[in-house]
């Protein structure tokens, strides 16, 4: 039987299509076949010609059972989960069959925010103060001690879903009611005042073989009020920015990563102290981070992850290039779309390198419920952070959406 890899792939909304194709292409270049595990009931044109299986991807037992059957038919060498929620089930399937990669113990460092913050503290890395929401009184006492606002978030969430900024005791009472009986699924953190960054890294055998620092242009928690943007910081890093890169390597090694891709978030606090670790996911960055890095550095993070896993001699051939920015496309209009700017119209604008629009005429727009609940994205280049941010406004002003009430 031929060598094979398994990709756990959720084709919804096209967010992972480019990553999926890059993994398949990288494996094929190395003579390795791709097997795909899709959500029950889903098909995708990009999987044509590949061996495809289905399972309820939100049911870990179902995933493990499906992988049992797949492994009996294909000599799976590696498993690639592209979505955050598939990282832990994939690790359990690896353990079931002795497949190299993150073990469940290591994967928990990247999925459970209670675990990841405790482990980061053990590594000497600064994290936000936190508490468990055992009772509303415990949270109120923590908020009085740490100072409002505080953040209440799922300990295993993503994309700011069900995440709350709490600015007062009245806010806390409202959020406590919204949490209902699920408080055991949440954690409470102090709100870090400062600038938020992310680091997108590739590791091989415990060593950093690619890293890029980028700075958010907005508060991730305020995705309802402003478009999500991020701009690379490749040139002229400050000492504190370089410190983020150093701590990122400490965290990822300490979390047990050997070979893989990680999207991690840090804050440079306004108090001038050491960077504060936010969180880390053992997958490529979400939204348009992967296409932004591909446009600016010439590599696809998911494809490179595959090559690093399968070829011990591979090293990413990334270029440096100018600063690159990417921003989500959003609209304050809700209802059925009657007209929308196309990706081709966006890429015709000066300095725009790539764009994708996930919505089309006939789709219905409603209020977003997570930070990645958007209409699409674009990537542009500039000379520095401020230049790229100014170009954001030009592109944003050119993007048009018309709707009617459905």
């Amino acid at each position: 039987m031929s060598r094979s890899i398994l990709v756990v792939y959720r084709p919804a909304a096209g967010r992972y299509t480019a990553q999926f194709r890059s993994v398949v292409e990288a494996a094929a270049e190395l003579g390795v076949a791709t097997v795909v595990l899709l959500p029950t009931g889903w098909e995708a044109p990009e999987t044509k010609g590949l061996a495809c299986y289905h399972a309820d991807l939100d049911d870990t037992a179902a995933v493990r059972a499906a992988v049992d059957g797949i492994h009996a038919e294909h000599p799976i060498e590696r498993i690639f989960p592209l979505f955050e929620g598939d990282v832990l089930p994939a690790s359990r399937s690896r353990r079931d069959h002795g497949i190299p990669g993150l073990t469940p113990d290591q994967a928990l460092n990247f999925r459970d925010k209670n675990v990841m913050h405790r482990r980061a503290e053990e590594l000497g890395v600064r994290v936000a103060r936190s508490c468990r929401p055992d009772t509303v009184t415990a949270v109120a006492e923590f908020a009085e001690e740490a100072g409002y606002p505080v953040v209440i978030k799922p300990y295993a969430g993503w994309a700011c879903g069900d995440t709350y900024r709490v600015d007062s005791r009245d806010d806390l009472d409202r959020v406590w009611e919204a949490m209902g009986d699920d408080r055991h699924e949440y954690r409470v953190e102090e709100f870090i005042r400062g600038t938020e960054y992310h680091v997108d890294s590739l590791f091989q055998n415990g060593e950093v073989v690619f890293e890029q620092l980028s700075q958010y242009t907005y508060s991730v928690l305020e995705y309802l009020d402003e478009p999500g943007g991020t701009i690379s910081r490749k040139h002229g890093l400050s000492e504190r920015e370089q410190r983020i890169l150093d701590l990122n390597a400490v965290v990822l090694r300490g979390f047990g990563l050997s070979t893989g891709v990680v999207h991690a978030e840090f804050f440079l606090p306004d108090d001038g102290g050491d960077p504060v670790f936010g969180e880390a996911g053992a997958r490529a960055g979400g939204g348009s981070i992967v296409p932004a890095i591909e446009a600016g550095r010439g590599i696809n993070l998911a494809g490179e992850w595959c090559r690093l896993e399968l070829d011990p001699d591979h090293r990413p051939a990334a270029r440096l290039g100018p600063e690159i920015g990417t921003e989500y496309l959003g609209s304050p209009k809700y209802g059925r779309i009657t007209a929308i700017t196309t990706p081709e119209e966006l890429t015709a604008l000066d300095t725009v390198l790539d764009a994708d629009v996930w919505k089309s005429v006939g789709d219905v727009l409603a209020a977003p419920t997570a930070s990645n609940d958007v209409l699409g994205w674009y990537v542009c280049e500039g000379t520095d952070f401020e230049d790229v941010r100014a170009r954001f406004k030009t592109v944003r002003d050119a993007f048009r959406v018309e709707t009617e009430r459905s």
Side-chain angles (χ1 to χ4, degrees):
M1 292 189 291
S2 62
R3 300 172 62 194
S4 301
I5 62 167
L6 174 64
V7 181
V8 185
Y9 177 47
R10 300 184 186 230
R15 287 174 172 83
Y16 302 99
T17 304
Q19 292 188 36
F20 175 79
R21 287 176 171 153
S22 293
V23 170
V24 173
E25 179 184 347
E29 289 174 358
L30 296 168
V32 179
T34 298
V35 179
V36 189
L37 182 59
L38 292 157
T40 300
W42 277 87
E43 301 294 342
E46 58 272 18
T47 66
K48 185 178 180 180
L50 303 176
C52 293
Y53 298 80
H54 296 81
D56 179 355
L57 298 187
D58 296 318
D59 182 337
T60 297
V63 171
R64 293 172 71 181
V67 176
D68 287 346
I70 293 169
H71 193 267
E73 297 183 36
H74 305 272
I76 300 297
E77 296 186 10
R78 297 291 190 280
I79 301 177
F80 296 91
L82 304 182
F83 170 62
E84 181 92 10
D86 297 325
V87 169
L88 188 54
S91 73
R92 288 172 172 154
S93 293
R94 290 191 193 100
R95 181 180 60 189
D96 290 342
H97 300 285
I99 298 170
L102 284 181
T103 65
D105 185 59
Q106 294 163 343
L108 280 170
N109 290 327
F110 292 97
R111 283 297 298 128
D112 185 321
K113 294 177 177 59
N114 295 320
V115 174
M116 73 173 67
H117 275 224
R118 182 59 181 265
R119 181 62 184 136
E121 281 189 294
E122 292 175 352
L123 295 167
V125 178
R126 183 181 176 186
V127 298
R129 290 176 290 174
S130 64
C131 80
R132 287 177 39 163
D134 293 326
T135 67
V136 68
T137 300
V139 179
E141 290 175 350
F142 172 80
E144 290 297 330
E145 177 185 347
Y148 286 102
V150 295
V151 179
I152 300 180
K153 62 173 68 172
Y155 72 84
W158 55 79
C160 292
D162 297 319
T163 296
Y164 307 93
R165 170 175 163 158
V166 176
D167 289 282
S168 66
R169 177 57 197 259
D170 287 343
D171 262 2
L172 174 56
D173 291 337
R174 175 182 56 79
V175 169
W176 193 260
E177 183 70 21
M179 289 163 59
D181 299 328
D182 295 326
R183 65 191 184 201
H184 62 285
E185 296 180 3
Y186 288 80
R187 59 182 272 112
V188 185
E189 297 178 7
E190 68 172 320
F191 181 84
I192 301 297
R193 300 184 185 278
T195 306
E196 189 170 3
Y197 290 79
H198 60 90
V199 186
D200 296 277
S201 313
L202 289 164
F203 264 55
Q204 189 176 51
N205 298 323
E207 297 299 324
V208 179
V209 294
F210 173 84
E211 61 185 356
Q212 179 169 297
L213 179 69
S214 301
Q215 180 181 336
Y216 286 109
T217 60
Y218 74 119
S219 169
V220 175
L221 284 176
E222 295 171 350
Y223 62 88
L224 291 171
D225 304 315
E226 54 186 319
T230 176
I231 299 173
S232 65
R233 292 287 298 119
K234 297 185 285 187
H235 305 282
L237 271 61
S238 69
E239 289 185 9
R240 296 179 79 205
E241 288 175 324
Q242 180 58 51
R243 177 67 172 156
I244 292 176
L245 293 176
D246 296 341
L247 289 174
N248 180 66
V250 170
V251 168
L252 301 192
R253 287 195 192 97
F255 280 11
L257 182 68
S258 176
T259 299
V261 61
V262 174
H263 172 80
E265 298 185 350
F266 289 82
F267 295 86
L268 282 186
D270 290 342
D271 64 15
D274 221 22
V276 178
F277 169 69
E279 57 187 68
R283 40 80 182 176
S288 53
I289 289 174
V290 169
I293 289 178
E294 188 163 12
R297 305 298 298 273
I299 62 170
N300 182 286
L301 291 175
E304 290 301 297
W305 174 24
C306 180
R307 292 183 179 91
L308 290 169
E309 290 275 14
L310 298 177
D311 180 3
D313 297 322
H314 179 74
R315 294 294 181 275
R319 59 177 181 263
L320 190 58
E323 299 293 8
I324 299 292
T326 182
E327 190 175 50
Y328 279 146
L329 295 166
S331 172
K333 298 179 180 179
Y334 302 136
R336 190 174 302 279
I337 297 174
T338 58
I340 188 168
T341 303
T342 66
E344 293 75 20
E345 290 172 319
L346 291 173
T347 53
L349 298 173
D350 185 42
T351 76
V352 175
L353 304 176
D354 196 5
D356 196 10
V357 178
W358 294 333
K359 302 294 184 180
S360 58
V361 171
D363 288 340
V364 176
L365 299 185
T369 59
S371 62
N372 62 358
D373 191 1
V374 295
L375 282 68
W377 51 264
Y378 65 89
V379 176
C380 64
E381 65 178 351
T383 56
D384 56 27
F385 184 89
E386 293 302 330
D387 180 49
V388 174
R389 187 158 63 174
R391 295 177 189 276
F392 279 179
K393 184 178 187 307
T394 300
V395 181
R396 198 183 311 147
D397 290 346
F399 182 66
R400 292 284 185 269
V401 180
E402 299 297 334
T403 63
E404 62 182 9
R405 291 297 178 185
S406 57

Short mmCIF file of all heavy atoms in Angstrom, two decimals, residues 110-150:
data_model
loop_
_atom_site.label_atom_id
_atom_site.label_comp_id
_atom_site.label_asym_id
_atom_site.label_seq_id
_atom_site.Cartn_x
_atom_site.Cartn_y
_atom_site.Cartn_z
N PHE A 110 -2.46 23.27 24.00
CA PHE A 110 -2.86 24.18 22.93
C PHE A 110 -4.38 24.36 22.83
O PHE A 110 -4.84 25.18 22.04
CB PHE A 110 -2.34 23.66 21.58
CG PHE A 110 -0.85 23.72 21.44
CD1 PHE A 110 -0.07 22.62 21.70
CD2 PHE A 110 -0.23 24.90 21.05
CE1 PHE A 110 1.31 22.67 21.56
CE2 PHE A 110 1.15 24.97 20.92
CZ PHE A 110 1.92 23.85 21.17
N ARG A 111 -5.16 23.60 23.60
CA ARG A 111 -6.62 23.69 23.48
C ARG A 111 -7.29 24.19 24.75
O ARG A 111 -8.26 24.93 24.68
CB ARG A 111 -7.19 22.30 23.11
CG ARG A 111 -7.03 21.92 21.68
CD ARG A 111 -7.79 22.87 20.75
NE ARG A 111 -9.23 22.83 21.02
CZ ARG A 111 -9.96 23.91 21.24
NH1 ARG A 111 -9.42 25.11 21.24
NH2 ARG A 111 -11.25 23.81 21.48
N ASP A 112 -6.82 23.78 25.90
CA ASP A 112 -7.46 24.13 27.16
C ASP A 112 -6.74 25.34 27.75
O ASP A 112 -5.59 25.25 28.17
CB ASP A 112 -7.37 22.93 28.12
CG ASP A 112 -8.13 23.16 29.42
OD1 ASP A 112 -8.08 24.29 29.94
OD2 ASP A 112 -8.75 22.19 29.91
N LYS A 113 -7.41 26.49 27.78
CA LYS A 113 -6.76 27.72 28.22
C LYS A 113 -6.38 27.68 29.70
O LYS A 113 -5.45 28.38 30.11
CB LYS A 113 -7.65 28.92 27.91
CG LYS A 113 -7.83 29.15 26.41
CD LYS A 113 -8.77 30.31 26.12
CE LYS A 113 -8.88 30.56 24.62
NZ LYS A 113 -9.39 29.40 23.85
N ASN A 114 -7.07 26.88 30.49
CA ASN A 114 -6.64 26.70 31.88
C ASN A 114 -5.29 26.00 31.93
O ASN A 114 -4.39 26.39 32.67
CB ASN A 114 -7.68 25.88 32.65
CG ASN A 114 -9.01 26.60 32.77
OD1 ASN A 114 -9.06 27.80 32.99
ND2 ASN A 114 -10.10 25.85 32.63
N VAL A 115 -5.16 24.96 31.11
CA VAL A 115 -3.91 24.21 31.06
C VAL A 115 -2.80 25.06 30.46
O VAL A 115 -1.69 25.11 30.99
CB VAL A 115 -4.10 22.91 30.24
CG1 VAL A 115 -2.76 22.19 30.06
CG2 VAL A 115 -5.12 22.00 30.92
N MET A 116 -3.08 25.73 29.33
CA MET A 116 -2.01 26.47 28.64
C MET A 116 -1.47 27.61 29.50
O MET A 116 -0.26 27.87 29.50
CB MET A 116 -2.45 26.95 27.26
CG MET A 116 -3.42 28.08 27.19
SD MET A 116 -3.67 28.68 25.47
CE MET A 116 -4.49 27.28 24.69
N HIS A 117 -2.34 28.30 30.25
CA HIS A 117 -1.85 29.39 31.08
C HIS A 117 -1.03 28.87 32.25
O HIS A 117 -0.01 29.47 32.62
CB HIS A 117 -3.02 30.25 31.56
CG HIS A 117 -3.42 31.29 30.57
ND1 HIS A 117 -3.70 32.60 30.92
CD2 HIS A 117 -3.55 31.25 29.22
CE1 HIS A 117 -4.01 33.29 29.83
NE2 HIS A 117 -3.93 32.48 28.80
N ARG A 118 -1.49 27.77 32.83
CA ARG A 118 -0.72 27.19 33.94
C ARG A 118 0.64 26.72 33.45
O ARG A 118 1.67 26.95 34.11
CB ARG A 118 -1.50 26.03 34.56
CG ARG A 118 -0.80 25.38 35.76
CD ARG A 118 -0.53 26.40 36.88
NE ARG A 118 0.16 25.79 37.99
CZ ARG A 118 -0.46 25.31 39.08
NH1 ARG A 118 -1.79 25.35 39.16
NH2 ARG A 118 0.24 24.79 40.06
N ARG A 119 0.68 26.09 32.29
CA ARG A 119 1.96 25.61 31.75
C ARG A 119 2.86 26.78 31.40
O ARG A 119 4.08 26.73 31.65
CB ARG A 119 1.71 24.72 30.52
CG ARG A 119 2.98 24.17 29.91
CD ARG A 119 3.73 23.29 30.87
NE ARG A 119 5.00 22.82 30.33
CZ ARG A 119 6.14 22.80 30.99
NH1 ARG A 119 6.19 23.23 32.25
NH2 ARG A 119 7.25 22.36 30.42
N ALA A 120 2.31 27.85 30.82
CA ALA A 120 3.12 29.02 30.49
C ALA A 120 3.73 29.63 31.75
O ALA A 120 4.90 30.03 31.76
CB ALA A 120 2.27 30.06 29.76
N GLU A 121 2.94 29.69 32.83
CA GLU A 121 3.47 30.19 34.11
C GLU A 121 4.63 29.33 34.59
O GLU A 121 5.64 29.85 35.09
CB GLU A 121 2.37 30.21 35.16
CG GLU A 121 1.42 31.38 35.05
CD GLU A 121 0.49 31.45 36.26
OE1 GLU A 121 -0.33 30.52 36.41
OE2 GLU A 121 0.59 32.42 37.04
N GLU A 122 4.49 28.02 34.46
CA GLU A 122 5.57 27.12 34.87
C GLU A 122 6.83 27.38 34.06
O GLU A 122 7.95 27.14 34.56
CB GLU A 122 5.13 25.67 34.69
CG GLU A 122 4.03 25.23 35.64
CD GLU A 122 3.54 23.82 35.36
OE1 GLU A 122 3.94 23.24 34.33
OE2 GLU A 122 2.76 23.29 36.17
N LEU A 123 6.66 27.87 32.83
CA LEU A 123 7.82 28.15 31.97
C LEU A 123 8.39 29.55 32.23
O LEU A 123 9.33 29.96 31.55
CB LEU A 123 7.40 28.03 30.51
CG LEU A 123 6.98 26.63 30.05
CD1 LEU A 123 6.30 26.69 28.69
CD2 LEU A 123 8.19 25.71 30.00
N GLY A 124 7.81 30.27 33.19
CA GLY A 124 8.30 31.61 33.52
C GLY A 124 7.78 32.70 32.63
O GLY A 124 8.35 33.80 32.58
N VAL A 125 6.68 32.44 31.92
CA VAL A 125 6.11 33.42 31.00
C VAL A 125 4.91 34.10 31.66
O VAL A 125 4.07 33.44 32.28
CB VAL A 125 5.66 32.73 29.69
CG1 VAL A 125 5.02 33.73 28.74
CG2 VAL A 125 6.88 32.06 29.03
N ARG A 126 4.85 35.41 31.53
CA ARG A 126 3.78 36.18 32.15
C ARG A 126 2.44 35.91 31.48
O ARG A 126 2.34 35.87 30.25
CB ARG A 126 4.11 37.68 32.06
CG ARG A 126 3.11 38.60 32.74
CD ARG A 126 3.53 40.06 32.56
NE ARG A 126 2.56 40.98 33.12
CZ ARG A 126 2.62 42.30 33.00
NH1 ARG A 126 3.63 42.86 32.33
NH2 ARG A 126 1.69 43.08 33.54
N VAL A 127 1.39 35.72 32.28
CA VAL A 127 0.03 35.53 31.77
C VAL A 127 -0.91 36.44 32.55
O VAL A 127 -0.56 36.99 33.60
CB VAL A 127 -0.43 34.06 31.90
CG1 VAL A 127 0.45 33.14 31.09
CG2 VAL A 127 -0.48 33.64 33.37
N ALA A 128 -2.11 36.62 32.02
CA ALA A 128 -3.12 37.40 32.72
C ALA A 128 -3.55 36.68 33.99
O ALA A 128 -3.63 35.45 34.03
CB ALA A 128 -4.33 37.62 31.81
N ARG A 129 -3.82 37.46 35.05
CA ARG A 129 -4.41 36.87 36.24
C ARG A 129 -5.78 36.30 35.90
O ARG A 129 -6.48 36.83 35.04
CB ARG A 129 -4.53 37.91 37.35
CG ARG A 129 -3.20 38.34 37.95
CD ARG A 129 -3.39 39.44 38.97
NE ARG A 129 -3.79 40.70 38.31
CZ ARG A 129 -4.14 41.81 38.96
NH1 ARG A 129 -4.19 41.81 40.29
NH2 ARG A 129 -4.46 42.90 38.29
N SER A 130 -6.18 35.23 36.58
CA SER A 130 -7.42 34.58 36.21
C SER A 130 -8.06 33.91 37.41
O SER A 130 -7.44 33.76 38.47
CB SER A 130 -7.17 33.54 35.11
OG SER A 130 -6.34 32.49 35.60
N CYS A 131 -9.31 33.51 37.24
CA CYS A 131 -9.99 32.71 38.25
C CYS A 131 -11.03 31.84 37.58
O CYS A 131 -11.39 32.06 36.41
CB CYS A 131 -10.64 33.60 39.32
SG CYS A 131 -12.23 34.33 38.85
N ARG A 132 -11.51 30.85 38.28
CA ARG A 132 -12.59 30.01 37.79
C ARG A 132 -13.92 30.62 38.20
O ARG A 132 -14.07 31.09 39.33
CB ARG A 132 -12.48 28.60 38.35
CG ARG A 132 -11.36 27.79 37.78
CD ARG A 132 -11.27 26.43 38.43
NE ARG A 132 -12.57 25.83 38.71
CZ ARG A 132 -12.74 24.53 38.97
NH1 ARG A 132 -11.70 23.72 38.96
NH2 ARG A 132 -13.94 24.06 39.23
N PRO A 133 -14.92 30.60 37.32
CA PRO A 133 -16.21 31.17 37.67
C PRO A 133 -17.08 30.19 38.46
O PRO A 133 -18.19 29.83 38.05
CB PRO A 133 -16.83 31.50 36.30
CG PRO A 133 -16.25 30.46 35.40
CD PRO A 133 -14.86 30.20 35.91
N ASP A 134 -16.58 29.79 39.65
CA ASP A 134 -17.34 28.83 40.45
C ASP A 134 -18.65 29.43 40.94
O ASP A 134 -19.68 28.75 40.95
CB ASP A 134 -16.49 28.36 41.63
CG ASP A 134 -15.29 27.55 41.19
OD1 ASP A 134 -15.40 26.82 40.19
OD2 ASP A 134 -14.23 27.65 41.84
N THR A 135 -18.59 30.68 41.38
CA THR A 135 -19.79 31.40 41.79
C THR A 135 -19.69 32.83 41.30
O THR A 135 -18.60 33.33 41.01
CB THR A 135 -19.94 31.43 43.33
OG1 THR A 135 -18.89 32.22 43.89
CG2 THR A 135 -19.88 30.01 43.92
N VAL A 136 -20.82 33.52 41.22
CA VAL A 136 -20.81 34.90 40.78
C VAL A 136 -20.07 35.77 41.79
O VAL A 136 -19.43 36.77 41.42
CB VAL A 136 -22.25 35.41 40.52
CG1 VAL A 136 -23.03 35.52 41.83
CG2 VAL A 136 -22.24 36.74 39.78
N THR A 137 -20.14 35.41 43.07
CA THR A 137 -19.41 36.17 44.09
C THR A 137 -17.91 36.05 43.89
O THR A 137 -17.16 37.03 44.03
CB THR A 137 -19.79 35.68 45.49
OG1 THR A 137 -21.21 35.85 45.69
CG2 THR A 137 -19.05 36.45 46.57
N ALA A 138 -17.45 34.84 43.54
CA ALA A 138 -16.02 34.65 43.30
C ALA A 138 -15.54 35.52 42.14
O ALA A 138 -14.46 36.12 42.19
CB ALA A 138 -15.72 33.19 43.01
N VAL A 139 -16.34 35.61 41.08
CA VAL A 139 -15.97 36.43 39.93
C VAL A 139 -15.99 37.91 40.31
O VAL A 139 -15.10 38.67 39.92
CB VAL A 139 -16.91 36.16 38.73
CG1 VAL A 139 -16.52 37.04 37.55
CG2 VAL A 139 -16.85 34.69 38.34
N ALA A 140 -17.00 38.33 41.07
CA ALA A 140 -17.09 39.73 41.48
C ALA A 140 -15.90 40.11 42.35
O ALA A 140 -15.33 41.20 42.20
CB ALA A 140 -18.40 39.97 42.23
N GLU A 141 -15.50 39.23 43.25
CA GLU A 141 -14.34 39.52 44.10
C GLU A 141 -13.07 39.60 43.26
O GLU A 141 -12.21 40.47 43.49
CB GLU A 141 -14.21 38.44 45.17
CG GLU A 141 -15.31 38.50 46.23
CD GLU A 141 -15.23 37.34 47.21
OE1 GLU A 141 -14.43 36.39 46.96
OE2 GLU A 141 -15.96 37.36 48.22
N PHE A 142 -12.94 38.70 42.28
CA PHE A 142 -11.76 38.76 41.39
C PHE A 142 -11.75 40.06 40.61
O PHE A 142 -10.71 40.71 40.48
CB PHE A 142 -11.78 37.57 40.43
CG PHE A 142 -10.72 37.64 39.36
CD1 PHE A 142 -9.41 37.29 39.64
CD2 PHE A 142 -11.03 38.08 38.08
CE1 PHE A 142 -8.42 37.38 38.67
CE2 PHE A 142 -10.05 38.17 37.10
CZ PHE A 142 -8.74 37.81 37.40
N ALA A 143 -12.91 40.49 40.10
CA ALA A 143 -12.98 41.72 39.31
C ALA A 143 -12.63 42.93 40.16
O ALA A 143 -11.98 43.87 39.67
CB ALA A 143 -14.38 41.87 38.71
N GLU A 144 -13.05 42.92 41.42
CA GLU A 144 -12.69 44.04 42.30
C GLU A 144 -11.19 44.07 42.55
O GLU A 144 -10.58 45.15 42.62
CB GLU A 144 -13.46 43.92 43.63
CG GLU A 144 -14.94 44.18 43.52
CD GLU A 144 -15.26 45.59 43.09
OE1 GLU A 144 -14.48 46.52 43.41
OE2 GLU A 144 -16.30 45.78 42.42
N GLU A 145 -10.60 42.90 42.68
CA GLU A 145 -9.15 42.83 42.93
C GLU A 145 -8.34 43.18 41.69
O GLU A 145 -7.40 43.98 41.74
CB GLU A 145 -8.79 41.42 43.40
CG GLU A 145 -7.29 41.22 43.63
CD GLU A 145 -6.94 39.78 43.97
OE1 GLU A 145 -7.86 39.00 44.28
OE2 GLU A 145 -5.74 39.45 43.91
N ALA A 146 -8.71 42.59 40.53
CA ALA A 146 -7.96 42.82 39.30
C ALA A 146 -8.33 44.14 38.65
O ALA A 146 -7.52 44.73 37.94
CB ALA A 146 -8.21 41.67 38.32
N GLY A 147 -9.55 44.60 38.91
CA GLY A 147 -10.06 45.81 38.29
C GLY A 147 -10.86 45.51 37.04
O GLY A 147 -10.46 44.67 36.23
N TYR A 148 -12.01 46.17 36.92
CA TYR A 148 -12.78 46.05 35.69
C TYR A 148 -12.06 46.78 34.56
O TYR A 148 -11.34 47.74 34.83
CB TYR A 148 -14.18 46.63 35.87
CG TYR A 148 -15.12 45.78 36.70
CD1 TYR A 148 -15.39 46.10 38.03
CD2 TYR A 148 -15.76 44.68 36.14
CE1 TYR A 148 -16.27 45.33 38.79
CE2 TYR A 148 -16.64 43.91 36.89
CZ TYR A 148 -16.89 44.23 38.22
OH TYR A 148 -17.76 43.46 38.96
N PRO A 149 -12.22 46.34 33.29
CA PRO A 149 -13.00 45.19 32.86
C PRO A 149 -12.27 43.88 33.08
O PRO A 149 -11.05 43.85 33.25
CB PRO A 149 -13.19 45.46 31.37
CG PRO A 149 -11.97 46.21 30.97
CD PRO A 149 -11.63 47.09 32.15
N VAL A 150 -13.05 42.78 33.06
CA VAL A 150 -12.50 41.44 33.02
C VAL A 150 -13.08 40.75 31.80
O VAL A 150 -14.05 41.23 31.20
CB VAL A 150 -12.80 40.64 34.30
CG1 VAL A 150 -12.12 41.27 35.50
CG2 VAL A 150 -14.32 40.50 34.51
#
